[in-house]
Amino acid sequence: MSSYYALVDCNNFYVSCERVFRPALKHRPVVVLSNNDGCCVARSNEAKALGIPMGAPLHQWKEIIRKHRVTVFSSNYVLYGDMSSRVMNLLGEHAPRVEVYSIDEAFLEITGVPQEALRAYACRLRVRILQSVGIPVSIGLGETKTLAKVANRLAKKLPGSNGVLSLVGHPDKEALLDKLDVGEVWGVGSQYKRKLVQRKILTARDLMHVEPDWARQNMTVCGMRTVYELRGTKCIPIETVPPPKKAIACSRSFGQPVTELNSLREALSSYVGRAAEKLRGERLAAGAIQIYIATNPFLDNAPQYANAKTSSLPEASSYTPVLWEAASSLLDQLYKPGFVYKKVGVVLFGLVPENLIQLDCFITHRSTERERRLMMTLDNVNQRWGMGTLNYAASGLCQAWKMKRAHLSPSYTTSWAELLVVNAR
């Protein structure tokens, strides 16, 4: 039985999440900002039409935003993560194998659907996602993952596609590939694009006809696979089990400059707690921890300082107090007075499955069953009632260092206190 691939991509995902709960914004320009409300990281089509580029600093576009009444949101990652989970769970009901590629993209392996019925299948799936979650998506279909990715790109560009395009058995397949710039092909970065353009390889169709041996010599084996995939030969399988993480990091830029050690310690405690929660969510333990601090490199007249220190743990652990003790010691070694700090962060690495920890016979304290249950309770409460519901006292109460989020929308789906209220007349 033939199988095909589909790439489902949520359109303007962060903006679409905000519009689900503010439907009046459907045809209005909307932008979502990065951490500390710095730059535009998501734009509606209406905002793109105003010329607002990706990564545009907010302060440089305030006049355009005011003049055209652009609605601005701070990044609400809790909301976006939950909406992503809803979309991915729905996809899992419609395909036997799903690879979650990013927060707003997933590959599907489709079996048992005739070639001529693929587009109708994708259209029904698109309607179901919009009705059930409220997120508009584009769907591309192909014999390979690369062709599905190409089809998805074209589905967003070609008029009349209605967000769905199948390249499977398409009579004008090569003509469609000729409409896509070679730099937009999955796996072709800026460096490879320059090399391809020098050889007059300008479109996806041109790349499809490249000699595989040349691609391997000049673009490694990954480039050769891309050529074969464009020709319809499957080289990249669906990965239903994500590869194990090599590290878990947590950091944020401060909402206002920080000079005191106590404020740095509060922020670091919060980040260590969050990183440890992620660690336990993956059923992993960390064998080493790295802490780094940095000033703002964009302040020309201010003295600059950035440094990092790493420490190995005597025994891999996911117990927050153990990780915090190591992090606090490293921070004491890193901190230097007289500097205005912009960022502190933690990286946990040397990750191992929690049931395969190499024990140290000289260790004097080992996490007990009571401590494991304590962490489980902490995580369950925060998962049910919202991140930060329970926190460590070391993280502080006022947290003046927290990043700026002046335009933050409510956590409509993850906080009982912020549920959407509908008034019926």
Side-chain angles (χ1 to χ4, degrees):
M1 183 181 295
S2 298
S3 64
Y4 307 100
Y5 293 116
L7 177 68
V8 180
D9 181 18
C10 301
N11 300 337
N12 305 324
F13 180 58
Y14 290 179
V15 169
S16 295
C17 289
E18 300 290 355
R19 280 176 164 173
V20 169
F21 304 96
R22 296 273 299 276
L25 299 177
K26 184 174 182 181
H27 297 294
R28 292 179 53 188
V30 179
V31 297
V32 177
L33 304 176
S34 62
N35 291 346
N36 285 310
D37 293 347
C39 304
C40 300
V41 295
R43 305 154 296 153
S44 67
N45 291 335
E46 295 79 7
K48 295 175 184 177
L50 294 175
I52 302 175
M54 175 64 81
L58 178 64
H59 68 275
Q60 293 180 4
W61 290 82
K62 278 188 175 180
E63 182 58 29
I64 295 293
I65 288 172
R66 183 197 62 78
K67 180 180 178 180
H68 295 279
R69 300 174 63 192
V70 179
T71 304
V72 178
F73 288 100
S74 303
S75 293
N76 190 339
Y77 298 118
V78 174
L79 174 64
Y80 307 152
D82 184 69
M83 295 296 284
S84 173
S85 296
R86 293 171 186 236
V87 173
M88 301 308 167
N89 290 338
L90 189 58
L91 294 178
E93 297 176 6
H94 287 78
R97 304 183 70 202
V98 177
E99 175 188 338
V100 179
Y101 185 64
S102 68
I103 191 173
D104 61 347
E105 288 181 285
F107 284 103
L108 280 62
E109 186 174 35
I110 302 172
T111 57
V113 179
Q115 178 178 310
E116 62 276 9
L118 282 173
R119 192 179 189 283
Y121 169 89
C123 288
R124 290 195 299 272
L125 178 58
R126 187 172 186 265
V127 170
R128 174 74 192 283
I129 294 171
L130 187 62
Q131 289 178 339
S132 300
V133 189
I135 301 294
V137 301
S138 296
I139 303 178
L141 301 117
E143 295 92 343
T144 67
K145 289 172 71 175
T146 302
L147 284 173
K149 189 86 168 176
V150 167
N152 186 279
R153 293 258 189 177
L154 292 171
K156 296 181 178 181
K157 294 184 175 185
L158 298 179
S161 66
N162 197 29
V164 176
L165 177 64
S166 174
L167 291 178
V168 179
H170 199 293
D172 298 321
K173 177 178 174 180
E174 291 206 16
L176 290 173
L177 291 178
D178 209 36
K179 295 179 181 293
L180 191 71
D181 184 273
V182 70
E184 295 187 73
V185 175
W186 188 35
V188 177
S190 57
Q191 184 176 351
Y192 285 148
K193 179 182 177 180
R194 286 194 296 270
K195 186 177 294 188
L196 292 168
V197 169
Q198 288 173 358
R199 289 183 59 91
K200 307 300 181 184
I201 302 169
L202 306 178
T203 68
R205 179 185 182 180
D206 295 337
L207 183 57
M208 180 180 69
H209 291 296
V210 164
E211 283 296 325
D213 288 341
W214 182 91
R216 178 167 187 157
Q217 291 173 4
N218 292 272
M219 300 172 64
T220 74
V221 68
C222 295
M224 183 181 70
R225 288 174 183 159
T226 298
V227 171
Y228 278 124
E229 287 247 326
L230 287 172
R231 295 180 179 184
T233 301
K234 296 177 182 178
C235 300
I236 308 173
I238 284 279
E239 296 181 0
T240 55
V241 178
K245 284 185 168 61
K246 296 182 179 179
I248 289 177
C250 188
S251 69
R252 296 284 188 275
S253 295
F254 300 133
Q256 60 186 40
V258 170
T259 58
E260 300 298 326
L261 177 60
N262 283 342
S263 295
L264 283 173
R265 199 182 300 279
E266 284 185 4
L268 182 60
S269 171
S270 177
Y271 301 156
V272 168
R274 180 65 183 134
E277 185 177 354
K278 292 180 181 179
L279 194 67
R280 293 189 291 270
E282 299 285 342
R283 298 185 180 276
L284 297 172
I289 183 170
Q290 181 184 75
I291 303 302
Y292 59 91
I293 58 175
T295 55
N296 190 343
F298 299 105
L299 296 180
D300 297 331
N301 299 325
Q304 299 294 319
Y305 171 66
N307 203 353
K309 280 188 177 294
T310 303
S311 174
S312 296
L313 302 176
E315 185 175 293
S317 177
S318 62
Y319 185 48
T320 302
V322 169
L323 299 173
W324 168 236
E325 183 179 359
S328 180
S329 175
L330 291 174
L331 182 62
D332 289 335
Q333 300 173 50
L334 286 173
Y335 175 74
K336 288 185 178 181
F339 291 94
V340 179
Y341 293 98
K342 181 64 175 176
K343 193 173 191 178
V344 66
V346 56
V347 181
L348 305 176
F349 57 100
L351 307 185
V352 297
E354 61 182 8
N355 60 339
L356 296 178
I357 296 174
Q358 178 66 51
L359 303 181
D360 187 332
C361 62
F362 297 106
I363 197 168
T364 57
H365 175 272
R366 180 168 287 118
S367 296
T368 63
E369 179 61 26
R370 177 180 177 276
E371 291 167 345
R372 280 190 284 271
R373 291 170 60 188
L374 175 63
M375 293 295 98
M376 185 182 301
T377 302
L378 176 72
D379 296 342
N380 289 340
V381 169
N382 286 333
Q383 185 175 7
R384 179 174 181 182
W385 298 99
M387 188 170 59
T389 301
L390 289 181
N391 220 333
Y392 285 87
S395 299
L397 298 176
C398 297
Q399 298 184 337
W401 43 267
K402 290 188 73 172
M403 65 179 180
K404 297 176 185 175
R405 302 174 89 179
H407 310 280
L408 184 66
S409 57
S411 297
Y412 298 105
T413 63
T414 57
S415 172
W416 287 105
E418 299 180 24
L419 287 176
L420 186 67
V421 176
V422 178
N423 296 310
R425 294 184 179 180

